[in-house]
Amino acid sequence: MTTDRPITGADLAHERSDAAAQATDGPTVIPVALVDAPYPVVVGRDLPEVLTAIDLPAGAATALVVTQEPVVAAGHVDLVETALRDAGLTVHRHLVRDGEVAKDADTLAQLWQVCADVPLTRGDLVVAVGGGVVGDLAGFLAATWNRGVAVLQVPTTLLAQVDAAIGGKTGINLGGGKNLVGAFHQPIAVACAVDTLATLSPRIRTEGLGEVVKCGLIADPGILDLLETCAADVLAGDPELLQELVVRSAQVKAAVVAADEREGGIRAHLNLGHTYGHAVESLTGYSEVLHGEAVAIGTVVALRIGQRLGCTPDDLVERADALLARLGLPTRGPALDREQVWSVIGRDKKVTRDGVRWVLLEGLAMPTVQAVDRADVDAVLDDLLA
Ligand code: NAD
């Protein structure tokens, strides 16, 4: 690709990476290359096509589908169950309450009882069909039932397809905080059908773009080029563009997870925007500001901190800020009590003698983790929220 003129949508349409080019020709299979339990992320247009490309565990006789009412109403659950029955499985469905409230101990206890009643045995399968809430909850059910059974993740929100369903983090919330009880439990596969995204509300689909932009910033600048050139079509839900964005973002996540499954090192880079983002979510009750929106605000904060420290180039800060705003994601506020912000960050993150460690960018696709003084963070927040 030449760079002596602005990149156009036509350039991007013609000059795709090999993997992204497959996105228009059928499902793309992205390996999550873990040594002990490698698995595929399969990205395609519709659920039957994607599910056909997935191998189910040979010994499984029964599948417990965990889902929520809006996903059933949208017609996605019937398609998944038909594919499971066609593969010879007996299928049981259990609906949990909609929203983050479902990620709690009471719901998990009900699900354990459902597993006992079915009964779901050691060789059987849990299938999570829904957004990140269902994925985290059903994943933790699978991690704990019978000391661990297989789970197939079928994410149906953009946020879950590009992030939550990949990597094996599962868990539930307690009154005192999010994801406080959980386990690493990798799925047998992740089945992403971008047609399922057509039934999301515009706000929930846009929210997922917060994580897509993050993947572009930490590892794949081509994602940013694509979003900048085709923002309006992406926001309108163009399935071909969404498929390419899901493929590229899933490639970023899969590569990072394969290199550092338990977040001992570079997996922390996926937390760009999450340090301040978590504080925003927590202090607004996990409903006013959605996860991907909070990550967008947190990303701007992290980039401005890097800029203040002389680490992040000015043009990168301006570029990210402008792109997030163009996608309709929040880049400022809400105004929060500063002491409460620090209390959440202190609970959430490792605090060293030099300060809290933040993911910053030394340049595009150049993430770094650095301890930052509270005074520098406060100065950035004062400036941004003025
Ligand atoms: P969500 O799961 O609450 O889904 C949002 C809403 O969309 C819900 O009402 C749901 O019923 C509905 N929905 C889902 N798919 C639909 C479809 N195709 N059509 C119509 N409606 C549909 O929200 P989310 O943003 O997907 O996930 C947020 C959760 O993900 C949080 O709990 C967060 O902690 C978790 N998360 C986990 C990880 C991880 O690595 N495990 C990473 C990021 C976020």
Side-chain angles (χ1 to χ4, degrees), residues 209-211 213-214 217 271-278 280 291-309 312-314 316-334 358-361 376-377 379-386:
L209 292 173
E211 295 284 7
V213 171
K214 177 201 76 182
L217 287 170
N271 293 335
L272 175 70
H274 286 62
T275 302
Y276 189 70
H278 277 165
V280 171
H291 180 76
E293 296 170 342
V295 168
I297 296 167
T299 298
V300 172
V301 169
L303 293 187
R304 299 256 166 192
I305 292 170
Q307 183 181 33
R308 181 179 168 84
L309 299 179
T312 310
D314 295 346
L316 181 54
V317 178
E318 301 311 327
R319 184 180 179 190
D321 205 323
L323 177 59
L324 290 166
R326 184 146 164 234
L327 294 170
L329 286 159
T331 56
R332 302 289 185 275
W358 293 70
V359 183
L360 306 177
L361 289 182
D376 287 312
V377 177
V380 166
L381 293 176
D382 287 344
D383 190 36
L384 274 177
L385 302 175

Short mmCIF file of all heavy atoms in Angstrom, two decimals, residues 209-211 213-214 217 271-278 280 291-309 312-314 316-334 358-361 376-377 379-386:
data_model
loop_
_atom_site.label_atom_id
_atom_site.label_comp_id
_atom_site.label_asym_id
_atom_site.label_seq_id
_atom_site.Cartn_x
_atom_site.Cartn_y
_atom_site.Cartn_z
N LEU A 209 -16.89 -1.32 20.27
CA LEU A 209 -15.81 -0.68 19.51
C LEU A 209 -14.74 -0.10 20.43
O LEU A 209 -13.61 0.12 20.01
CB LEU A 209 -16.39 0.41 18.60
CG LEU A 209 -17.27 -0.11 17.45
CD1 LEU A 209 -17.92 1.06 16.71
CD2 LEU A 209 -16.46 -0.96 16.48
N GLY A 210 -15.09 0.16 21.70
CA GLY A 210 -14.08 0.62 22.66
C GLY A 210 -12.95 -0.39 22.78
O GLY A 210 -11.76 -0.04 22.80
N GLU A 211 -13.30 -1.69 22.83
CA GLU A 211 -12.27 -2.74 22.92
C GLU A 211 -11.58 -2.94 21.57
O GLU A 211 -10.41 -3.31 21.51
CB GLU A 211 -12.89 -4.06 23.40
CG GLU A 211 -13.44 -4.04 24.83
CD GLU A 211 -12.35 -4.10 25.91
OE1 GLU A 211 -11.15 -4.03 25.59
OE2 GLU A 211 -12.74 -4.19 27.10
N VAL A 213 -10.93 -0.55 19.33
CA VAL A 213 -9.94 0.52 19.24
C VAL A 213 -8.72 0.18 20.11
O VAL A 213 -7.57 0.37 19.69
CB VAL A 213 -10.55 1.89 19.66
CG1 VAL A 213 -9.47 2.96 19.79
CG2 VAL A 213 -11.62 2.32 18.67
N LYS A 214 -8.97 -0.37 21.30
CA LYS A 214 -7.85 -0.74 22.18
C LYS A 214 -6.93 -1.74 21.47
O LYS A 214 -5.71 -1.61 21.51
CB LYS A 214 -8.40 -1.34 23.47
CG LYS A 214 -7.33 -1.83 24.42
CD LYS A 214 -7.85 -2.86 25.41
CE LYS A 214 -8.04 -4.22 24.75
NZ LYS A 214 -8.59 -5.23 25.66
N LEU A 217 -4.81 0.06 19.04
CA LEU A 217 -3.77 0.89 19.67
C LEU A 217 -2.61 0.05 20.21
O LEU A 217 -1.46 0.44 20.09
CB LEU A 217 -4.38 1.71 20.82
CG LEU A 217 -5.28 2.87 20.40
CD1 LEU A 217 -6.01 3.44 21.61
CD2 LEU A 217 -4.45 3.97 19.72
N ASN A 271 -5.10 -4.44 29.25
CA ASN A 271 -5.78 -3.58 30.22
C ASN A 271 -5.63 -2.10 29.91
O ASN A 271 -5.99 -1.26 30.74
CB ASN A 271 -5.25 -3.86 31.64
CG ASN A 271 -5.63 -5.24 32.11
OD1 ASN A 271 -6.61 -5.81 31.64
ND2 ASN A 271 -4.84 -5.80 33.02
N LEU A 272 -5.12 -1.75 28.72
CA LEU A 272 -5.08 -0.33 28.36
C LEU A 272 -6.48 0.26 28.51
O LEU A 272 -7.45 -0.29 27.98
CB LEU A 272 -4.60 -0.15 26.90
CG LEU A 272 -4.64 1.30 26.39
CD1 LEU A 272 -3.56 2.15 27.07
CD2 LEU A 272 -4.46 1.37 24.87
N GLY A 273 -6.58 1.34 29.24
CA GLY A 273 -7.88 2.01 29.41
C GLY A 273 -8.72 1.44 30.54
O GLY A 273 -9.76 1.99 30.88
N HIS A 274 -8.28 0.31 31.13
CA HIS A 274 -9.12 -0.35 32.12
C HIS A 274 -8.90 0.16 33.55
O HIS A 274 -9.76 -0.03 34.40
CB HIS A 274 -8.91 -1.87 32.07
CG HIS A 274 -9.56 -2.52 30.87
ND1 HIS A 274 -9.20 -2.20 29.58
CD2 HIS A 274 -10.54 -3.45 30.77
CE1 HIS A 274 -9.93 -2.92 28.73
NE2 HIS A 274 -10.76 -3.69 29.43
N THR A 275 -7.74 0.78 33.83
CA THR A 275 -7.48 1.21 35.22
C THR A 275 -8.48 2.32 35.60
O THR A 275 -9.24 2.18 36.57
CB THR A 275 -6.03 1.72 35.36
OG1 THR A 275 -5.17 0.65 34.97
CG2 THR A 275 -5.72 2.12 36.79
N TYR A 276 -8.53 3.38 34.80
CA TYR A 276 -9.53 4.42 35.09
C TYR A 276 -10.92 3.94 34.68
O TYR A 276 -11.91 4.25 35.33
CB TYR A 276 -9.16 5.73 34.37
CG TYR A 276 -10.03 6.88 34.82
CD1 TYR A 276 -9.90 7.41 36.10
CD2 TYR A 276 -11.01 7.40 33.98
CE1 TYR A 276 -10.72 8.44 36.53
CE2 TYR A 276 -11.83 8.44 34.40
CZ TYR A 276 -11.69 8.95 35.68
OH TYR A 276 -12.51 9.97 36.11
N GLY A 277 -11.00 3.13 33.60
CA GLY A 277 -12.30 2.63 33.14
C GLY A 277 -13.04 1.86 34.22
O GLY A 277 -14.24 2.04 34.42
N HIS A 278 -12.33 1.00 34.95
CA HIS A 278 -12.98 0.24 36.02
C HIS A 278 -13.52 1.17 37.11
O HIS A 278 -14.59 0.92 37.67
CB HIS A 278 -12.01 -0.76 36.65
CG HIS A 278 -11.91 -2.03 35.87
ND1 HIS A 278 -10.89 -2.94 36.05
CD2 HIS A 278 -12.69 -2.55 34.90
CE1 HIS A 278 -11.05 -3.96 35.22
NE2 HIS A 278 -12.14 -3.74 34.51
N VAL A 280 -14.60 4.20 36.66
CA VAL A 280 -15.81 4.82 36.12
C VAL A 280 -16.99 3.86 36.24
O VAL A 280 -18.07 4.22 36.71
CB VAL A 280 -15.60 5.23 34.63
CG1 VAL A 280 -16.92 5.67 34.01
CG2 VAL A 280 -14.55 6.32 34.51
N HIS A 291 -19.25 -1.11 29.85
CA HIS A 291 -17.84 -1.47 29.96
C HIS A 291 -16.99 -0.84 28.84
O HIS A 291 -15.97 -0.18 29.10
CB HIS A 291 -17.70 -2.99 29.95
CG HIS A 291 -16.28 -3.47 30.04
ND1 HIS A 291 -15.55 -3.45 31.21
CD2 HIS A 291 -15.43 -3.94 29.10
CE1 HIS A 291 -14.33 -3.91 30.99
NE2 HIS A 291 -14.23 -4.22 29.71
N GLY A 292 -17.42 -1.00 27.59
CA GLY A 292 -16.63 -0.49 26.47
C GLY A 292 -16.57 1.03 26.46
O GLY A 292 -15.57 1.62 26.01
N GLU A 293 -17.64 1.67 26.95
CA GLU A 293 -17.63 3.14 27.05
C GLU A 293 -16.62 3.58 28.12
O GLU A 293 -15.87 4.54 27.91
CB GLU A 293 -19.03 3.64 27.42
CG GLU A 293 -20.09 3.36 26.35
CD GLU A 293 -21.52 3.64 26.80
OE1 GLU A 293 -21.78 3.73 28.03
OE2 GLU A 293 -22.39 3.75 25.92
N ALA A 294 -16.60 2.87 29.24
CA ALA A 294 -15.66 3.20 30.31
C ALA A 294 -14.22 2.99 29.83
O ALA A 294 -13.32 3.76 30.16
CB ALA A 294 -15.95 2.34 31.54
N VAL A 295 -13.99 1.95 29.01
CA VAL A 295 -12.65 1.69 28.47
C VAL A 295 -12.24 2.84 27.55
O VAL A 295 -11.08 3.27 27.54
CB VAL A 295 -12.62 0.34 27.72
CG1 VAL A 295 -11.34 0.18 26.91
CG2 VAL A 295 -12.75 -0.81 28.72
N ALA A 296 -13.19 3.38 26.79
CA ALA A 296 -12.87 4.51 25.91
C ALA A 296 -12.41 5.72 26.73
O ALA A 296 -11.38 6.34 26.43
CB ALA A 296 -14.09 4.88 25.06
N ILE A 297 -13.15 6.03 27.80
CA ILE A 297 -12.76 7.15 28.67
C ILE A 297 -11.39 6.86 29.28
O ILE A 297 -10.49 7.71 29.31
CB ILE A 297 -13.82 7.36 29.78
CG1 ILE A 297 -15.17 7.76 29.18
CG2 ILE A 297 -13.34 8.40 30.81
CD1 ILE A 297 -16.34 7.69 30.16
N GLY A 298 -11.21 5.63 29.76
CA GLY A 298 -9.95 5.24 30.40
C GLY A 298 -8.78 5.27 29.44
O GLY A 298 -7.64 5.56 29.82
N THR A 299 -9.04 4.98 28.17
CA THR A 299 -7.97 5.01 27.17
C THR A 299 -7.47 6.44 26.97
O THR A 299 -6.26 6.69 26.91
CB THR A 299 -8.48 4.42 25.83
OG1 THR A 299 -8.85 3.06 26.06
CG2 THR A 299 -7.43 4.49 24.74
N VAL A 300 -8.42 7.38 26.90
CA VAL A 300 -8.02 8.78 26.75
C VAL A 300 -7.19 9.21 27.96
O VAL A 300 -6.15 9.86 27.82
CB VAL A 300 -9.26 9.69 26.57
CG1 VAL A 300 -8.88 11.16 26.62
CG2 VAL A 300 -9.96 9.36 25.25
N VAL A 301 -7.62 8.81 29.16
CA VAL A 301 -6.88 9.17 30.37
C VAL A 301 -5.46 8.58 30.30
O VAL A 301 -4.46 9.28 30.54
CB VAL A 301 -7.62 8.68 31.64
CG1 VAL A 301 -6.74 8.79 32.88
CG2 VAL A 301 -8.93 9.45 31.82
N ALA A 302 -5.35 7.30 29.93
CA ALA A 302 -4.02 6.65 29.89
C ALA A 302 -3.12 7.33 28.85
O ALA A 302 -1.92 7.55 29.10
CB ALA A 302 -4.18 5.17 29.57
N LEU A 303 -3.68 7.68 27.70
CA LEU A 303 -2.85 8.32 26.67
C LEU A 303 -2.41 9.70 27.12
O LEU A 303 -1.27 10.12 26.86
CB LEU A 303 -3.61 8.40 25.35
CG LEU A 303 -3.92 7.05 24.66
CD1 LEU A 303 -4.53 7.26 23.29
CD2 LEU A 303 -2.67 6.21 24.53
N ARG A 304 -3.29 10.41 27.82
CA ARG A 304 -2.90 11.76 28.30
C ARG A 304 -1.84 11.66 29.40
O ARG A 304 -0.98 12.53 29.51
CB ARG A 304 -4.12 12.52 28.83
CG ARG A 304 -5.18 12.75 27.80
CD ARG A 304 -5.20 14.16 27.28
NE ARG A 304 -6.03 14.20 26.09
CZ ARG A 304 -6.10 15.19 25.24
NH1 ARG A 304 -5.37 16.26 25.43
NH2 ARG A 304 -6.86 15.14 24.19
N ILE A 305 -1.93 10.61 30.22
CA ILE A 305 -0.89 10.42 31.24
C ILE A 305 0.45 10.19 30.53
O ILE A 305 1.48 10.78 30.87
CB ILE A 305 -1.23 9.23 32.17
CG1 ILE A 305 -2.45 9.56 33.03
CG2 ILE A 305 -0.04 8.88 33.05
CD1 ILE A 305 -3.00 8.36 33.81
N GLY A 306 0.43 9.31 29.51
CA GLY A 306 1.66 9.04 28.75
C GLY A 306 2.20 10.31 28.11
O GLY A 306 3.42 10.55 28.11
N GLN A 307 1.31 11.14 27.59
CA GLN A 307 1.72 12.40 26.96
C GLN A 307 2.40 13.31 27.99
O GLN A 307 3.45 13.88 27.76
CB GLN A 307 0.49 13.08 26.37
CG GLN A 307 0.76 14.36 25.62
CD GLN A 307 -0.55 14.97 25.10
OE1 GLN A 307 -1.60 14.87 25.75
NE2 GLN A 307 -0.50 15.58 23.95
N ARG A 308 1.78 13.39 29.17
CA ARG A 308 2.34 14.25 30.23
C ARG A 308 3.73 13.79 30.65
O ARG A 308 4.59 14.60 30.97
CB ARG A 308 1.37 14.23 31.43
CG ARG A 308 1.81 15.09 32.59
CD ARG A 308 0.81 15.04 33.73
NE ARG A 308 1.39 15.65 34.92
CZ ARG A 308 1.38 16.94 35.16
NH1 ARG A 308 0.80 17.76 34.31
NH2 ARG A 308 1.95 17.43 36.25
N LEU A 309 3.93 12.46 30.63
CA LEU A 309 5.22 11.92 31.06
C LEU A 309 6.25 11.91 29.92
O LEU A 309 7.35 11.41 30.09
CB LEU A 309 5.03 10.48 31.58
CG LEU A 309 4.10 10.32 32.78
CD1 LEU A 309 3.98 8.86 33.18
CD2 LEU A 309 4.60 11.15 33.97
N THR A 312 4.07 9.24 25.39
CA THR A 312 3.14 9.05 24.26
C THR A 312 3.17 10.27 23.34
O THR A 312 2.98 11.40 23.82
CB THR A 312 1.70 8.85 24.78
OG1 THR A 312 1.72 7.85 25.80
CG2 THR A 312 0.77 8.42 23.66
N PRO A 313 3.40 10.06 22.04
CA PRO A 313 3.46 11.20 21.11
C PRO A 313 2.14 11.94 21.04
O PRO A 313 1.06 11.32 21.08
CB PRO A 313 3.78 10.54 19.75
CG PRO A 313 4.17 9.14 20.03
CD PRO A 313 3.64 8.76 21.38
N ASP A 314 2.22 13.26 20.87
CA ASP A 314 1.02 14.11 20.83
C ASP A 314 0.04 13.66 19.73
O ASP A 314 -1.16 13.61 19.95
CB ASP A 314 1.40 15.58 20.53
CG ASP A 314 2.22 16.18 21.64
OD1 ASP A 314 2.28 15.58 22.74
OD2 ASP A 314 2.83 17.24 21.42
N LEU A 316 -0.52 10.81 18.42
CA LEU A 316 -1.24 9.57 18.74
C LEU A 316 -2.39 9.85 19.71
O LEU A 316 -3.49 9.30 19.58
CB LEU A 316 -0.26 8.54 19.33
CG LEU A 316 -0.85 7.18 19.70
CD1 LEU A 316 -1.59 6.55 18.52
CD2 LEU A 316 0.24 6.24 20.20
N VAL A 317 -2.13 10.73 20.67
CA VAL A 317 -3.17 11.10 21.64
C VAL A 317 -4.35 11.75 20.89
O VAL A 317 -5.51 11.38 21.10
CB VAL A 317 -2.61 12.08 22.70
CG1 VAL A 317 -3.70 12.50 23.67
CG2 VAL A 317 -1.44 11.44 23.44
N GLU A 318 -4.03 12.68 20.01
CA GLU A 318 -5.09 13.38 19.26
C GLU A 318 -5.85 12.40 18.36
O GLU A 318 -7.07 12.46 18.22
CB GLU A 318 -4.50 14.52 18.41
CG GLU A 318 -3.73 15.58 19.19
CD GLU A 318 -4.48 16.11 20.40
OE1 GLU A 318 -5.71 16.19 20.35
OE2 GLU A 318 -3.83 16.42 21.42
N ARG A 319 -5.10 11.47 17.74
CA ARG A 319 -5.73 10.53 16.80
C ARG A 319 -6.72 9.62 17.53
O ARG A 319 -7.85 9.42 17.07
CB ARG A 319 -4.62 9.69 16.13
CG ARG A 319 -5.15 8.76 15.08
CD ARG A 319 -4.05 7.93 14.43
NE ARG A 319 -4.64 7.03 13.45
CZ ARG A 319 -4.00 6.06 12.84
NH1 ARG A 319 -2.71 5.86 13.07
NH2 ARG A 319 -4.62 5.29 11.99
N ALA A 320 -6.30 9.08 18.65
CA ALA A 320 -7.17 8.16 19.40
C ALA A 320 -8.41 8.89 19.92
O ALA A 320 -9.53 8.39 19.82
CB ALA A 320 -6.40 7.54 20.55
N ASP A 321 -8.18 10.09 20.44
CA ASP A 321 -9.28 10.88 20.98
C ASP A 321 -10.32 11.16 19.88
O ASP A 321 -11.54 10.96 20.06
CB ASP A 321 -8.68 12.21 21.50
CG ASP A 321 -9.52 12.84 22.59
OD1 ASP A 321 -10.75 12.76 22.48
OD2 ASP A 321 -8.96 13.41 23.53
N ALA A 322 -9.83 11.58 18.71
CA ALA A 322 -10.73 11.93 17.60
C ALA A 322 -11.48 10.69 17.11
O ALA A 322 -12.68 10.75 16.81
CB ALA A 322 -9.92 12.54 16.45
N LEU A 323 -10.79 9.55 17.03
CA LEU A 323 -11.45 8.34 16.53
C LEU A 323 -12.54 7.87 17.49
O LEU A 323 -13.66 7.55 17.06
CB LEU A 323 -10.42 7.21 16.32
CG LEU A 323 -11.01 5.87 15.86
CD1 LEU A 323 -11.77 6.01 14.54
CD2 LEU A 323 -9.91 4.81 15.72
N LEU A 324 -12.23 7.85 18.78
CA LEU A 324 -13.24 7.40 19.75
C LEU A 324 -14.47 8.30 19.69
O LEU A 324 -15.61 7.82 19.69
CB LEU A 324 -12.63 7.40 21.17
CG LEU A 324 -11.57 6.32 21.42
CD1 LEU A 324 -10.79 6.61 22.70
CD2 LEU A 324 -12.20 4.93 21.50
N ALA A 325 -14.24 9.61 19.59
CA ALA A 325 -15.37 10.55 19.52
C ALA A 325 -16.17 10.32 18.24
O ALA A 325 -17.41 10.32 18.26
CB ALA A 325 -14.85 11.98 19.58
N ARG A 326 -15.48 10.06 17.13
CA ARG A 326 -16.17 9.85 15.85
C ARG A 326 -17.03 8.59 15.89
O ARG A 326 -18.06 8.49 15.22
CB ARG A 326 -15.09 9.73 14.77
CG ARG A 326 -15.63 9.62 13.41
CD ARG A 326 -14.70 10.31 12.43
NE ARG A 326 -15.06 9.86 11.10
CZ ARG A 326 -14.22 9.34 10.24
NH1 ARG A 326 -12.95 9.21 10.56
NH2 ARG A 326 -14.64 8.95 9.06
N LEU A 327 -16.60 7.62 16.69
CA LEU A 327 -17.37 6.38 16.80
C LEU A 327 -18.54 6.53 17.78
O LEU A 327 -19.28 5.58 18.01
CB LEU A 327 -16.46 5.23 17.25
CG LEU A 327 -15.38 4.84 16.22
CD1 LEU A 327 -14.38 3.87 16.84
CD2 LEU A 327 -16.02 4.24 14.97
N GLY A 328 -18.65 7.70 18.37
CA GLY A 328 -19.76 7.93 19.29
C GLY A 328 -19.49 7.41 20.68
O GLY A 328 -20.41 7.25 21.49
N LEU A 329 -18.21 7.18 20.99
CA LEU A 329 -17.87 6.72 22.34
C LEU A 329 -17.50 7.91 23.22
O LEU A 329 -16.95 8.90 22.72
CB LEU A 329 -16.68 5.74 22.26
CG LEU A 329 -17.06 4.37 21.72
CD1 LEU A 329 -15.84 3.64 21.17
CD2 LEU A 329 -17.73 3.54 22.81
N PRO A 330 -17.79 7.84 24.52
CA PRO A 330 -17.44 8.97 25.38
C PRO A 330 -15.93 9.06 25.57
O PRO A 330 -15.25 8.02 25.66
CB PRO A 330 -18.15 8.63 26.70
CG PRO A 330 -18.32 7.15 26.68
CD PRO A 330 -18.44 6.75 25.24
N THR A 331 -15.40 10.27 25.63
CA THR A 331 -13.96 10.44 25.85
C THR A 331 -13.65 11.27 27.09
O THR A 331 -12.50 11.52 27.39
CB THR A 331 -13.31 11.12 24.63
OG1 THR A 331 -13.98 12.37 24.41
CG2 THR A 331 -13.42 10.27 23.37
N ARG A 332 -14.69 11.71 27.77
CA ARG A 332 -14.50 12.52 29.00
C ARG A 332 -15.49 12.01 30.04
O ARG A 332 -16.33 11.19 29.76
CB ARG A 332 -14.82 14.00 28.74
CG ARG A 332 -14.01 14.64 27.65
CD ARG A 332 -12.56 14.83 28.07
NE ARG A 332 -11.80 15.55 27.07
CZ ARG A 332 -11.20 15.00 26.01
NH1 ARG A 332 -11.29 13.69 25.80
NH2 ARG A 332 -10.50 15.75 25.17
N GLY A 333 -15.37 12.59 31.27
CA GLY A 333 -16.33 12.42 32.34
C GLY A 333 -16.82 11.00 32.53
O GLY A 333 -16.27 10.10 31.93
N PRO A 334 -17.82 10.74 33.36
CA PRO A 334 -18.49 11.73 34.19
C PRO A 334 -17.60 12.22 35.34
O PRO A 334 -16.60 11.57 35.64
CB PRO A 334 -19.68 10.92 34.75
CG PRO A 334 -19.17 9.53 34.78
CD PRO A 334 -18.27 9.37 33.60
N TRP A 358 0.32 1.62 35.34
CA TRP A 358 -0.62 1.90 34.26
C TRP A 358 -0.09 1.36 32.95
O TRP A 358 1.12 1.38 32.72
CB TRP A 358 -0.82 3.42 34.08
CG TRP A 358 -1.51 4.09 35.24
CD1 TRP A 358 -0.99 4.28 36.48
CD2 TRP A 358 -2.84 4.63 35.26
NE1 TRP A 358 -1.92 4.92 37.29
CE2 TRP A 358 -3.06 5.15 36.55
CE3 TRP A 358 -3.85 4.74 34.31
CZ2 TRP A 358 -4.24 5.75 36.93
CZ3 TRP A 358 -5.05 5.36 34.68
CH2 TRP A 358 -5.24 5.84 35.98
N VAL A 359 -0.99 0.91 32.08
CA VAL A 359 -0.60 0.56 30.72
C VAL A 359 -0.60 1.87 29.92
O VAL A 359 -1.61 2.57 29.87
CB VAL A 359 -1.58 -0.44 30.07
CG1 VAL A 359 -1.07 -0.83 28.68
CG2 VAL A 359 -1.74 -1.67 30.94
N LEU A 360 0.55 2.18 29.33
CA LEU A 360 0.71 3.41 28.53
C LEU A 360 1.18 3.02 27.14
O LEU A 360 1.51 1.85 26.89
CB LEU A 360 1.74 4.34 29.19
CG LEU A 360 1.49 4.70 30.68
CD1 LEU A 360 2.65 5.56 31.20
CD2 LEU A 360 0.17 5.43 30.86
N LEU A 361 1.21 3.97 26.24
CA LEU A 361 1.73 3.70 24.88
C LEU A 361 2.95 4.56 24.63
O LEU A 361 2.89 5.78 24.76
CB LEU A 361 0.66 4.01 23.83
CG LEU A 361 -0.55 3.07 23.73
CD1 LEU A 361 -1.47 3.54 22.60
CD2 LEU A 361 -0.13 1.62 23.50
N ASP A 376 0.63 13.08 38.91
CA ASP A 376 0.54 13.16 37.44
C ASP A 376 -0.86 12.76 36.97
O ASP A 376 -1.41 13.36 36.06
CB ASP A 376 1.60 12.27 36.79
CG ASP A 376 2.99 12.87 36.93
OD1 ASP A 376 3.13 14.07 36.63
OD2 ASP A 376 3.92 12.15 37.34
N VAL A 377 -1.41 11.71 37.57
CA VAL A 377 -2.75 11.26 37.18
C VAL A 377 -3.76 12.36 37.53
O VAL A 377 -4.63 12.71 36.71
CB VAL A 377 -3.12 9.93 37.89
CG1 VAL A 377 -4.54 9.52 37.53
CG2 VAL A 377 -2.12 8.85 37.54
N ALA A 379 -3.34 15.52 37.79
CA ALA A 379 -3.21 16.68 36.90
C ALA A 379 -3.93 16.41 35.58
O ALA A 379 -4.61 17.28 35.04
CB ALA A 379 -1.73 16.96 36.65
N VAL A 380 -3.81 15.18 35.06
CA VAL A 380 -4.49 14.83 33.81
C VAL A 380 -6.00 14.85 34.01
O VAL A 380 -6.75 15.39 33.19
CB VAL A 380 -4.02 13.44 33.31
CG1 VAL A 380 -4.94 12.91 32.23
CG2 VAL A 380 -2.59 13.52 32.81
N LEU A 381 -6.46 14.29 35.11
CA LEU A 381 -7.91 14.26 35.36
C LEU A 381 -8.45 15.68 35.54
O LEU A 381 -9.51 16.02 35.02
CB LEU A 381 -8.22 13.40 36.60
CG LEU A 381 -7.93 11.89 36.46
CD1 LEU A 381 -8.18 11.17 37.78
CD2 LEU A 381 -8.79 11.29 35.34
N ASP A 382 -7.70 16.53 36.25
CA ASP A 382 -8.14 17.93 36.43
C ASP A 382 -8.29 18.59 35.06
O ASP A 382 -9.27 19.29 34.79
CB ASP A 382 -7.09 18.72 37.24
CG ASP A 382 -7.10 18.32 38.71
OD1 ASP A 382 -8.09 17.68 39.13
OD2 ASP A 382 -6.12 18.62 39.40
N ASP A 383 -7.33 18.34 34.20
CA ASP A 383 -7.32 18.97 32.88
C ASP A 383 -8.48 18.46 32.01
O ASP A 383 -9.21 19.22 31.38
CB ASP A 383 -5.97 18.63 32.23
CG ASP A 383 -5.76 19.43 30.98
OD1 ASP A 383 -6.17 20.58 30.97
OD2 ASP A 383 -5.21 18.88 30.01
N LEU A 384 -8.66 17.12 32.02
CA LEU A 384 -9.68 16.52 31.16
C LEU A 384 -11.10 16.86 31.61
O LEU A 384 -12.00 16.99 30.80
CB LEU A 384 -9.54 15.00 31.16
CG LEU A 384 -8.56 14.38 30.16
CD1 LEU A 384 -8.52 12.87 30.36
CD2 LEU A 384 -8.99 14.70 28.73
N LEU A 385 -11.28 16.94 32.92
CA LEU A 385 -12.63 17.11 33.43
C LEU A 385 -12.96 18.57 33.73
O LEU A 385 -14.04 18.88 34.22
CB LEU A 385 -12.82 16.25 34.69
CG LEU A 385 -12.56 14.76 34.47
CD1 LEU A 385 -12.64 13.99 35.78
CD2 LEU A 385 -13.52 14.19 33.46
N ALA A 386 -12.00 19.47 33.40
CA ALA A 386 -12.23 20.89 33.69
C ALA A 386 -13.38 21.42 32.87
O ALA A 386 -13.57 21.02 31.73
CB ALA A 386 -10.97 21.68 33.39
#
